[in-house]
Amino acid sequence: MHKDKKKWFASWFDTPYYHILYKDRDYEEAQLFMDNLTNYLNLPDDAKILDLACGKGRHSVYLNKLGYDVTGADLSENSIEEASKESNEKLHFMVHDMREPFDQKFDAIFNLFTSFGYFEDDADNMKTLKAMCASLNEYGFGVIDFMNVNYVINNLVAEEVKTVDGIDFHIKRYVKDGHIVKEINFEACGEQLHFTESVQALTLEDFEKMMEEAGIYLLDIFGDYKLRKFFKNESERLIMIFK
């Protein structure tokens, strides 16, 4: 396991409060995206799919319901423990660092919901891209679903309070040193808690440069979960299909 086991993403994602704060995520939207994506890729009925940085496995579970052989992988032991309750003979979960390739090959690897750009060292981004490609079979496709940085920065809500399950989450957002930072403060169980999310503000141009360097072929780009055209300033998502 890498030394940054204690980095922000390892500690925050492993707390129950992360899942409380984001419990209102749109499952219908996530399922629509998976329907559109698997149709677009024209995956074989029994395709092997890797859901990389799967969290508690919401995408993995739905992909499995569509009939695919799915492996969900995440660095968070607590998330994998929770996701594993849904396991069956065609749905498996494992603790895994996305910078490391897998022993088996997949027909598709999905890295969804801005689960990239967490590392402080740019070399780790390259390791992740190369590991994804090394884990694809000859006909496989990689997919990265990232935020559209231009849209996010232009629409950044600097401060808000979000109350979920009786907890008041005080959230601040700002851009610093090429990262989009979210500071989260709240009180729970009589304790004042503070967590930070920090994701590199990677643009399409940044990804194109990295992919070219890694010898990856960028096939297509979409701007939302309905797979509509990407517009630099208007699209909410940056969805990249590559080989």
Side-chain angles (χ1 to χ4, degrees):
M1 199 62 73
H2 284 260
K3 64 182 184 330
D4 30 26
K5 176 63 180 151
K6 291 181 181 171
K7 296 291 188 191
W8 73 262
F9 47 87
S11 55
W12 172 224
F13 291 164
D14 241 354
T15 75
Y17 304 112
Y18 168 78
H19 299 291
I20 291 170
L21 176 59
Y22 294 116
K23 70 184 287 187
D24 62 350
R25 283 177 172 167
D26 192 332
Y27 278 75
E28 281 186 22
E29 184 183 60
Q31 292 177 5
L32 171 77
F33 181 33
M34 292 302 94
D35 289 340
N36 291 336
L37 191 56
T38 51
N39 286 336
Y40 168 80
L41 295 175
N42 196 24
L43 295 174
D45 292 343
D46 57 349
K48 290 184 186 299
I49 298 176
L50 171 62
D51 182 9
L52 191 60
C54 67
K56 288 167 82 174
R58 64 181 180 139
H59 292 104
S60 300
V61 169
Y62 184 67
L63 286 164
N64 176 245
K65 285 177 180 168
L66 293 179
Y68 299 111
D69 188 328
V70 183
T71 299
D74 200 282
L75 190 63
S76 166
E77 292 173 13
N78 287 349
S79 291
I80 291 298
E81 186 180 349
E82 187 65 29
S84 294
K85 294 173 184 175
E86 302 286 343
S87 295
N88 60 51
E89 60 183 34
K90 289 179 74 177
L91 177 60
H92 308 279
F93 292 96
M94 61 189 292
V95 176
H96 184 87
D97 190 313
M98 62 166 63
R99 289 166 286 192
E100 305 291 341
F102 282 75
D103 294 332
Q104 61 174 306
K105 305 279 187 184
F106 297 91
D107 295 292
I109 298 177
F110 296 165
N111 179 247
L112 306 169
F113 214 76
T114 308
S115 301
F116 195 95
Y118 294 165
F119 307 113
E120 289 170 18
D121 188 346
D122 288 344
D124 286 324
N125 291 333
M126 190 62 70
K127 278 184 191 171
T128 302
L129 283 174
K130 287 182 174 176
M132 287 178 76
C133 271
S135 305
L136 286 170
N137 64 30
E138 186 183 352
Y139 306 104
F141 296 98
V143 179
I144 293 177
D145 159 38
F146 200 69
M147 62 182 164
N148 177 16
V149 165
N150 295 316
Y151 177 87
V152 169
I153 291 173
N154 289 339
N155 295 275
L156 206 64
V157 178
E159 291 192 35
E160 69 173 317
V161 179
K162 198 174 170 188
T163 304
V164 190
D165 289 0
I167 299 172
D168 295 329
F169 293 94
H170 296 262
I171 299 168
K172 286 185 181 178
R173 300 179 182 87
Y174 53 90
V175 181
K176 183 182 179 183
D177 299 332
H179 289 70
I180 295 173
V181 182
K182 184 189 290 185
E183 290 192 25
I184 304 154
N185 291 284
F186 57 97
E187 185 180 337
C189 301
E191 233 186 322
Q192 291 292 336
L193 297 170
H194 171 83
F195 292 95
T196 302
E197 296 179 13
S198 177
V199 181
Q200 282 180 286
L202 297 167
T203 63
L204 173 58
E205 291 73 26
D206 293 324
F207 276 105
E208 286 174 333
K209 189 176 173 186
M210 281 191 290
M211 287 180 179
E212 188 177 349
E213 197 178 321
I216 292 168
Y217 184 60
L218 184 56
L219 294 168
D220 222 335
I221 305 156
F222 299 107
D224 63 22
Y225 292 145
K226 292 181 179 175
L227 303 189
R228 290 181 292 208
K229 188 177 177 182
F230 175 78
F231 294 99
K232 186 174 180 178
N233 294 310
E234 291 87 43
S235 296
E236 293 187 24
R237 308 301 299 169
L238 169 60
I239 299 165
M240 295 161 285
I241 318 285
F242 59 90
K243 286 183 80 73

PDB file of all heavy atoms in Angstrom, residues 42-66:
ATOM      1  N   ASN A  42     -21.123  -0.630 -26.816  1.00  0.00           N
ATOM      2  CA  ASN A  42     -21.551  -1.888 -27.440  1.00  0.00           C
ATOM      3  C   ASN A  42     -20.807  -3.082 -26.839  1.00  0.00           C
ATOM      4  O   ASN A  42     -20.265  -3.932 -27.554  1.00  0.00           O
ATOM      5  CB  ASN A  42     -21.330  -1.824 -28.966  1.00  0.00           C
ATOM      6  CG  ASN A  42     -22.088  -2.915 -29.695  1.00  0.00           C
ATOM      7  OD1 ASN A  42     -23.076  -3.435 -29.197  1.00  0.00           O
ATOM      8  ND2 ASN A  42     -21.605  -3.276 -30.869  1.00  0.00           N
ATOM      9  N   LEU A  43     -20.796  -3.130 -25.512  1.00  0.00           N
ATOM     10  CA  LEU A  43     -20.065  -4.189 -24.813  1.00  0.00           C
ATOM     11  C   LEU A  43     -20.767  -5.534 -24.992  1.00  0.00           C
ATOM     12  O   LEU A  43     -21.994  -5.595 -25.053  1.00  0.00           O
ATOM     13  CB  LEU A  43     -19.978  -3.870 -23.315  1.00  0.00           C
ATOM     14  CG  LEU A  43     -19.172  -2.619 -22.945  1.00  0.00           C
ATOM     15  CD1 LEU A  43     -19.302  -2.341 -21.459  1.00  0.00           C
ATOM     16  CD2 LEU A  43     -17.713  -2.769 -23.338  1.00  0.00           C
ATOM     17  N   PRO A  44     -20.000  -6.612 -25.073  1.00  0.00           N
ATOM     18  CA  PRO A  44     -20.629  -7.936 -25.128  1.00  0.00           C
ATOM     19  C   PRO A  44     -21.456  -8.195 -23.870  1.00  0.00           C
ATOM     20  O   PRO A  44     -21.187  -7.618 -22.807  1.00  0.00           O
ATOM     21  CB  PRO A  44     -19.440  -8.901 -25.213  1.00  0.00           C
ATOM     22  CG  PRO A  44     -18.226  -8.125 -24.862  1.00  0.00           C
ATOM     23  CD  PRO A  44     -18.528  -6.686 -25.151  1.00  0.00           C
ATOM     24  N   ASP A  45     -22.471  -9.042 -23.984  1.00  0.00           N
ATOM     25  CA  ASP A  45     -23.408  -9.280 -22.875  1.00  0.00           C
ATOM     26  C   ASP A  45     -22.714  -9.717 -21.593  1.00  0.00           C
ATOM     27  O   ASP A  45     -23.150  -9.378 -20.491  1.00  0.00           O
ATOM     28  CB  ASP A  45     -24.443 -10.347 -23.272  1.00  0.00           C
ATOM     29  CG  ASP A  45     -25.382  -9.837 -24.361  1.00  0.00           C
ATOM     30  OD1 ASP A  45     -25.436  -8.606 -24.553  1.00  0.00           O
ATOM     31  OD2 ASP A  45     -26.043 -10.663 -25.012  1.00  0.00           O
ATOM     32  N   ASP A  46     -21.647 -10.480 -21.730  1.00  0.00           N
ATOM     33  CA  ASP A  46     -20.958 -11.007 -20.547  1.00  0.00           C
ATOM     34  C   ASP A  46     -19.638 -10.269 -20.283  1.00  0.00           C
ATOM     35  O   ASP A  46     -18.703 -10.819 -19.712  1.00  0.00           O
ATOM     36  CB  ASP A  46     -20.698 -12.504 -20.715  1.00  0.00           C
ATOM     37  CG  ASP A  46     -19.881 -12.803 -21.973  1.00  0.00           C
ATOM     38  OD1 ASP A  46     -19.709 -11.882 -22.810  1.00  0.00           O
ATOM     39  OD2 ASP A  46     -19.417 -13.955 -22.118  1.00  0.00           O
ATOM     40  N   ALA A  47     -19.562  -9.011 -20.717  1.00  0.00           N
ATOM     41  CA  ALA A  47     -18.322  -8.235 -20.587  1.00  0.00           C
ATOM     42  C   ALA A  47     -17.847  -8.160 -19.135  1.00  0.00           C
ATOM     43  O   ALA A  47     -18.648  -8.104 -18.198  1.00  0.00           O
ATOM     44  CB  ALA A  47     -18.539  -6.829 -21.133  1.00  0.00           C
ATOM     45  N   LYS A  48     -16.523  -8.158 -18.988  1.00  0.00           N
ATOM     46  CA  LYS A  48     -15.914  -7.957 -17.671  1.00  0.00           C
ATOM     47  C   LYS A  48     -15.622  -6.460 -17.513  1.00  0.00           C
ATOM     48  O   LYS A  48     -14.877  -5.879 -18.306  1.00  0.00           O
ATOM     49  CB  LYS A  48     -14.616  -8.761 -17.543  1.00  0.00           C
ATOM     50  CG  LYS A  48     -14.819 -10.264 -17.478  1.00  0.00           C
ATOM     51  CD  LYS A  48     -13.481 -10.956 -17.249  1.00  0.00           C
ATOM     52  CE  LYS A  48     -13.601 -12.475 -17.310  1.00  0.00           C
ATOM     53  NZ  LYS A  48     -14.497 -13.028 -16.293  1.00  0.00           N
ATOM     54  N   ILE A  49     -16.224  -5.848 -16.494  1.00  0.00           N
ATOM     55  CA  ILE A  49     -16.069  -4.415 -16.267  1.00  0.00           C
ATOM     56  C   ILE A  49     -15.401  -4.178 -14.919  1.00  0.00           C
ATOM     57  O   ILE A  49     -15.765  -4.794 -13.914  1.00  0.00           O
ATOM     58  CB  ILE A  49     -17.435  -3.696 -16.298  1.00  0.00           C
ATOM     59  CG1 ILE A  49     -18.103  -3.856 -17.673  1.00  0.00           C
ATOM     60  CG2 ILE A  49     -17.275  -2.210 -15.962  1.00  0.00           C
ATOM     61  CD1 ILE A  49     -19.499  -3.248 -17.748  1.00  0.00           C
ATOM     62  N   LEU A  50     -14.425  -3.269 -14.903  1.00  0.00           N
ATOM     63  CA  LEU A  50     -13.803  -2.831 -13.659  1.00  0.00           C
ATOM     64  C   LEU A  50     -14.328  -1.438 -13.329  1.00  0.00           C
ATOM     65  O   LEU A  50     -14.222  -0.512 -14.124  1.00  0.00           O
ATOM     66  CB  LEU A  50     -12.277  -2.785 -13.816  1.00  0.00           C
ATOM     67  CG  LEU A  50     -11.498  -2.132 -12.674  1.00  0.00           C
ATOM     68  CD1 LEU A  50     -11.694  -2.891 -11.366  1.00  0.00           C
ATOM     69  CD2 LEU A  50     -10.001  -2.035 -13.016  1.00  0.00           C
ATOM     70  N   ASP A  51     -14.935  -1.307 -12.153  1.00  0.00           N
ATOM     71  CA  ASP A  51     -15.384  -0.020 -11.639  1.00  0.00           C
ATOM     72  C   ASP A  51     -14.293   0.457 -10.681  1.00  0.00           C
ATOM     73  O   ASP A  51     -14.204  -0.002  -9.548  1.00  0.00           O
ATOM     74  CB  ASP A  51     -16.735  -0.191 -10.931  1.00  0.00           C
ATOM     75  CG  ASP A  51     -17.307   1.116 -10.407  1.00  0.00           C
ATOM     76  OD1 ASP A  51     -16.753   2.184 -10.724  1.00  0.00           O
ATOM     77  OD2 ASP A  51     -18.324   1.062  -9.685  1.00  0.00           O
ATOM     78  N   LEU A  52     -13.446   1.357 -11.171  1.00  0.00           N
ATOM     79  CA  LEU A  52     -12.233   1.754 -10.457  1.00  0.00           C
ATOM     80  C   LEU A  52     -12.503   2.977  -9.585  1.00  0.00           C
ATOM     81  O   LEU A  52     -12.931   4.012 -10.089  1.00  0.00           O
ATOM     82  CB  LEU A  52     -11.128   2.052 -11.480  1.00  0.00           C
ATOM     83  CG  LEU A  52      -9.709   2.248 -10.968  1.00  0.00           C
ATOM     84  CD1 LEU A  52      -9.193   1.012 -10.242  1.00  0.00           C
ATOM     85  CD2 LEU A  52      -8.776   2.600 -12.130  1.00  0.00           C
ATOM     86  N   ALA A  53     -12.226   2.854  -8.292  1.00  0.00           N
ATOM     87  CA  ALA A  53     -12.630   3.843  -7.284  1.00  0.00           C
ATOM     88  C   ALA A  53     -14.152   3.798  -7.163  1.00  0.00           C
ATOM     89  O   ALA A  53     -14.857   4.766  -7.381  1.00  0.00           O
ATOM     90  CB  ALA A  53     -12.138   5.248  -7.616  1.00  0.00           C
ATOM     91  N   CYS A  54     -14.641   2.625  -6.796  1.00  0.00           N
ATOM     92  CA  CYS A  54     -16.082   2.318  -6.847  1.00  0.00           C
ATOM     93  C   CYS A  54     -16.854   2.828  -5.642  1.00  0.00           C
ATOM     94  O   CYS A  54     -18.087   2.802  -5.643  1.00  0.00           O
ATOM     95  CB  CYS A  54     -16.292   0.809  -6.977  1.00  0.00           C
ATOM     96  SG  CYS A  54     -15.768  -0.129  -5.506  1.00  0.00           S
ATOM     97  N   GLY A  55     -16.152   3.281  -4.587  1.00  0.00           N
ATOM     98  CA  GLY A  55     -16.858   3.692  -3.370  1.00  0.00           C
ATOM     99  C   GLY A  55     -17.657   2.530  -2.803  1.00  0.00           C
ATOM    100  O   GLY A  55     -17.172   1.402  -2.726  1.00  0.00           O
ATOM    101  N   LYS A  56     -18.920   2.791  -2.451  1.00  0.00           N
ATOM    102  CA  LYS A  56     -19.769   1.736  -1.896  1.00  0.00           C
ATOM    103  C   LYS A  56     -20.465   0.926  -2.987  1.00  0.00           C
ATOM    104  O   LYS A  56     -21.330   0.105  -2.707  1.00  0.00           O
ATOM    105  CB  LYS A  56     -20.794   2.348  -0.944  1.00  0.00           C
ATOM    106  CG  LYS A  56     -20.142   2.813   0.359  1.00  0.00           C
ATOM    107  CD  LYS A  56     -21.055   3.706   1.178  1.00  0.00           C
ATOM    108  CE  LYS A  56     -22.034   2.920   2.006  1.00  0.00           C
ATOM    109  NZ  LYS A  56     -22.816   3.808   2.906  1.00  0.00           N
ATOM    110  N   GLY A  57     -20.093   1.183  -4.246  1.00  0.00           N
ATOM    111  CA  GLY A  57     -20.471   0.271  -5.319  1.00  0.00           C
ATOM    112  C   GLY A  57     -21.785   0.528  -6.025  1.00  0.00           C
ATOM    113  O   GLY A  57     -22.339  -0.367  -6.654  1.00  0.00           O
ATOM    114  N   ARG A  58     -22.309   1.768  -5.974  1.00  0.00           N
ATOM    115  CA  ARG A  58     -23.622   1.999  -6.589  1.00  0.00           C
ATOM    116  C   ARG A  58     -23.604   1.735  -8.092  1.00  0.00           C
ATOM    117  O   ARG A  58     -24.539   1.164  -8.634  1.00  0.00           O
ATOM    118  CB  ARG A  58     -24.135   3.412  -6.295  1.00  0.00           C
ATOM    119  CG  ARG A  58     -23.305   4.536  -6.876  1.00  0.00           C
ATOM    120  CD  ARG A  58     -23.875   5.903  -6.505  1.00  0.00           C
ATOM    121  NE  ARG A  58     -23.030   6.952  -7.085  1.00  0.00           N
ATOM    122  CZ  ARG A  58     -23.491   8.038  -7.647  1.00  0.00           C
ATOM    123  NH1 ARG A  58     -24.782   8.252  -7.747  1.00  0.00           N
ATOM    124  NH2 ARG A  58     -22.669   8.947  -8.128  1.00  0.00           N
ATOM    125  N   HIS A  59     -22.531   2.144  -8.781  1.00  0.00           N
ATOM    126  CA  HIS A  59     -22.442   1.863 -10.218  1.00  0.00           C
ATOM    127  C   HIS A  59     -22.202   0.371 -10.466  1.00  0.00           C
ATOM    128  O   HIS A  59     -22.775  -0.217 -11.381  1.00  0.00           O
ATOM    129  CB  HIS A  59     -21.302   2.669 -10.859  1.00  0.00           C
ATOM    130  CG  HIS A  59     -21.555   4.149 -10.899  1.00  0.00           C
ATOM    131  ND1 HIS A  59     -20.950   5.033 -10.030  1.00  0.00           N
ATOM    132  CD2 HIS A  59     -22.346   4.895 -11.699  1.00  0.00           C
ATOM    133  CE1 HIS A  59     -21.356   6.262 -10.297  1.00  0.00           C
ATOM    134  NE2 HIS A  59     -22.205   6.218 -11.300  1.00  0.00           N
ATOM    135  N   SER A  60     -21.336  -0.226  -9.649  1.00  0.00           N
ATOM    136  CA  SER A  60     -21.011  -1.648  -9.806  1.00  0.00           C
ATOM    137  C   SER A  60     -22.257  -2.521  -9.705  1.00  0.00           C
ATOM    138  O   SER A  60     -22.468  -3.432 -10.519  1.00  0.00           O
ATOM    139  CB  SER A  60     -20.012  -2.103  -8.721  1.00  0.00           C
ATOM    140  OG  SER A  60     -18.817  -1.388  -8.777  1.00  0.00           O
ATOM    141  N   VAL A  61     -23.074  -2.245  -8.684  1.00  0.00           N
ATOM    142  CA  VAL A  61     -24.281  -3.049  -8.456  1.00  0.00           C
ATOM    143  C   VAL A  61     -25.227  -2.946  -9.651  1.00  0.00           C
ATOM    144  O   VAL A  61     -25.772  -3.950 -10.125  1.00  0.00           O
ATOM    145  CB  VAL A  61     -24.994  -2.597  -7.151  1.00  0.00           C
ATOM    146  CG1 VAL A  61     -26.372  -3.219  -7.039  1.00  0.00           C
ATOM    147  CG2 VAL A  61     -24.142  -2.970  -5.937  1.00  0.00           C
ATOM    148  N   TYR A  62     -25.401  -1.745 -10.168  1.00  0.00           N
ATOM    149  CA  TYR A  62     -26.312  -1.566 -11.307  1.00  0.00           C
ATOM    150  C   TYR A  62     -25.748  -2.231 -12.566  1.00  0.00           C
ATOM    151  O   TYR A  62     -26.493  -2.889 -13.304  1.00  0.00           O
ATOM    152  CB  TYR A  62     -26.574  -0.086 -11.563  1.00  0.00           C
ATOM    153  CG  TYR A  62     -27.586   0.121 -12.665  1.00  0.00           C
ATOM    154  CD1 TYR A  62     -28.918  -0.256 -12.487  1.00  0.00           C
ATOM    155  CD2 TYR A  62     -27.216   0.651 -13.894  1.00  0.00           C
ATOM    156  CE1 TYR A  62     -29.856  -0.099 -13.496  1.00  0.00           C
ATOM    157  CE2 TYR A  62     -28.140   0.814 -14.911  1.00  0.00           C
ATOM    158  CZ  TYR A  62     -29.460   0.430 -14.713  1.00  0.00           C
ATOM    159  OH  TYR A  62     -30.375   0.574 -15.716  1.00  0.00           O
ATOM    160  N   LEU A  63     -24.459  -2.090 -12.802  1.00  0.00           N
ATOM    161  CA  LEU A  63     -23.844  -2.735 -13.967  1.00  0.00           C
ATOM    162  C   LEU A  63     -24.012  -4.255 -13.901  1.00  0.00           C
ATOM    163  O   LEU A  63     -24.257  -4.917 -14.904  1.00  0.00           O
ATOM    164  CB  LEU A  63     -22.353  -2.376 -14.050  1.00  0.00           C
ATOM    165  CG  LEU A  63     -22.044  -0.955 -14.514  1.00  0.00           C
ATOM    166  CD1 LEU A  63     -20.597  -0.593 -14.194  1.00  0.00           C
ATOM    167  CD2 LEU A  63     -22.305  -0.800 -16.013  1.00  0.00           C
ATOM    168  N   ASN A  64     -23.899  -4.795 -12.692  1.00  0.00           N
ATOM    169  CA  ASN A  64     -24.103  -6.228 -12.502  1.00  0.00           C
ATOM    170  C   ASN A  64     -25.548  -6.625 -12.810  1.00  0.00           C
ATOM    171  O   ASN A  64     -25.819  -7.671 -13.404  1.00  0.00           O
ATOM    172  CB  ASN A  64     -23.716  -6.613 -11.074  1.00  0.00           C
ATOM    173  CG  ASN A  64     -23.976  -8.065 -10.758  1.00  0.00           C
ATOM    174  OD1 ASN A  64     -24.801  -8.386  -9.914  1.00  0.00           O
ATOM    175  ND2 ASN A  64     -23.301  -8.968 -11.439  1.00  0.00           N
ATOM    176  N   LYS A  65     -26.497  -5.749 -12.439  1.00  0.00           N
ATOM    177  CA  LYS A  65     -27.908  -6.015 -12.738  1.00  0.00           C
ATOM    178  C   LYS A  65     -28.174  -6.015 -14.244  1.00  0.00           C
ATOM    179  O   LYS A  65     -29.118  -6.661 -14.714  1.00  0.00           O
ATOM    180  CB  LYS A  65     -28.803  -4.984 -12.042  1.00  0.00           C
ATOM    181  CG  LYS A  65     -28.939  -5.233 -10.545  1.00  0.00           C
ATOM    182  CD  LYS A  65     -29.774  -4.172  -9.870  1.00  0.00           C
ATOM    183  CE  LYS A  65     -29.880  -4.483  -8.373  1.00  0.00           C
ATOM    184  NZ  LYS A  65     -30.448  -3.349  -7.614  1.00  0.00           N
ATOM    185  N   LEU A  66     -27.341  -5.290 -14.978  1.00  0.00           N
ATOM    186  CA  LEU A  66     -27.460  -5.294 -16.443  1.00  0.00           C
ATOM    187  C   LEU A  66     -26.893  -6.582 -17.049  1.00  0.00           C
ATOM    188  O   LEU A  66     -27.003  -6.798 -18.249  1.00  0.00           O
ATOM    189  CB  LEU A  66     -26.734  -4.082 -17.040  1.00  0.00           C
ATOM    190  CG  LEU A  66     -27.328  -2.701 -16.733  1.00  0.00           C
ATOM    191  CD1 LEU A  66     -26.470  -1.602 -17.368  1.00  0.00           C
ATOM    192  CD2 LEU A  66     -28.765  -2.590 -17.223  1.00  0.00           C
TER     193      LEU A  66
END
